[in-house]
Amino acid sequence: MAIQINAPFTPKRDEKEVRQKGMAKETMDSDKKLDVFVPSNGIILLNLLTQANKIYGAVRLTKIEFFGFKEFNLPLNYIFYQGPMGPTTLDLKHDYEYLSAINLIDLEYIPTDEANDLLVFSITDQGRDFLKKYNPHENLTDQFKRLIETYGYQPRKALVEKAHREYTELIYKQDFRKELQSLKTDMQLALMFWDKLGDIYTKAAPFWYLAQLLECVFDRLKNTSNIDLELINKLHELIIGKTKEYSIVLKNDETPEFDISFCNFLYDEGYALLNQGVEAKLIKREELE
């Protein structure tokens, strides 16, 4: 069964336009069930915002997530790189912009004297409703709470100084076993989403089939000694990326257009990668037929 939200929703205007013109966001009531996909990293952010209520600044949010990854063992599958403000990842920006687009979090821009506006993060009612329906990280509630109590309200300067002082590696990532576990969580969410799509839009069946094949690949990883991590990441990005795109389409109550060029992309790219999976002995040839 797909994850569903029964609640009024707010269509998003361009955030920059809202800031410049001071426009109020329009509200549209709907009694329709809305299907959305949220990756496991996004669910962790929703959990953090339930503990903090608001998080002030993108730099502070990045450091909270990084310290959660390094010191509180949160199952984030981000790769952090060293930057001027300490360890950072662009993937977090992609995730919070996506969560904002489907109205699970709110992004508020507050003008400052600095070059960039202050970005304030908060969870919406729909975001809270989502977590009540599906929260695979509910067992980490104490860790989320302690993380926010420890770092959620510290000055940004103190967080950046700590990051520079205590963490000097160029790249930070999970060990391989934990990374696969995180990717598996995302795959389960994607399967739930595409299961619903497959029932409604018959042309989505190739995606559903691809998701099943990917599930088989992940199931066998634990028994595979020679694993091509780059291949697995490409397979993962393909299904997750396309799922996100169509989640936003469904959120806006539009019918996805499965045109021939898109289907060709799926077969050319998706099955080419799965054939590499055959060569890497992660999946059998007959399962592609």
Side-chain angles (χ1 to χ4, degrees), residues 202-217:
T202 56
K203 290 184 180 180
F207 288 100
W208 169 237
Y209 181 51
L210 176 61
Q212 288 181 306
L213 291 175
L214 292 175
E215 180 80 356
C216 292
V217 170

Side-chain angles (χ1 to χ4, degrees), residues 42-217:
I43 294 176
I44 288 177
L45 176 54
L46 292 176
N47 275 283
L48 290 174
L49 288 173
T50 63
Q51 299 296 328
N53 192 28
K54 289 182 183 289
I55 293 177
Y56 293 84
V59 173
R60 178 178 282 103
L61 175 62
T62 303
K63 296 303 161 286
I64 290 172
E65 296 244 354
F66 176 74
F67 293 141
F69 166 67
K70 292 295 291 183
E71 300 177 10
F72 290 81
N73 201 33
L74 294 186
L76 291 161
N77 55 13
Y78 293 137
I79 297 178
F80 290 89
Y81 300 88
Q82 275 294 348
M85 294 290 184
T88 188
T89 174
L90 287 177
D91 291 336
L92 174 58
K93 182 175 186 292
H94 298 325
D95 279 341
Y96 67 64
E97 288 180 344
Y98 171 69
L99 292 178
S100 174
I102 59 176
N103 201 31
L104 296 187
I105 70 171
D106 185 64
L107 303 182
E108 179 185 2
Y109 294 82
I110 300 178
T112 68
D113 294 334
E114 300 181 7
N116 298 315
D117 295 341
L118 177 67
L119 188 53
V120 182
F121 304 85
S122 59
I123 189 170
T124 64
D125 290 340
Q126 278 189 211
R128 295 181 190 279
D129 188 49
F130 178 90
L131 285 182
K132 290 178 183 178
K133 288 179 169 59
Y134 188 81
N135 186 4
H137 303 308
E138 191 172 8
N139 62 315
L140 302 177
T141 298
D142 288 342
Q143 287 163 254
F144 294 132
K145 182 178 180 180
R146 288 189 291 110
L147 173 59
I148 293 301
E149 289 175 346
T150 305
Y151 296 116
Y153 308 104
Q154 285 196 26
R156 186 185 74 168
K157 182 179 179 181
L159 296 176
V160 172
E161 288 178 350
K162 173 183 170 65
H164 278 307
R165 182 176 64 252
E166 299 183 17
Y167 299 97
T168 58
E169 296 178 31
L170 295 179
I171 298 177
Y172 302 85
K173 60 185 301 185
Q174 288 181 329
D175 64 52
F176 187 68
R177 183 173 299 178
K178 289 183 178 179
E179 184 172 357
L180 291 179
Q181 185 177 5
S182 296
L183 295 180
K184 179 71 173 182
T185 303
D186 276 358
M187 183 53 58
Q188 289 171 337
L189 287 168
L191 285 165
M192 294 172 70
F193 183 85
W194 283 111
D195 185 27
K196 180 65 174 178
L197 270 186
D199 290 339
I200 299 176
Y201 306 107
T202 56
K203 290 184 180 180
F207 288 100
W208 169 237
Y209 181 51
L210 176 61
Q212 288 181 306
L213 291 175
L214 292 175
E215 180 80 356
C216 292
V217 170

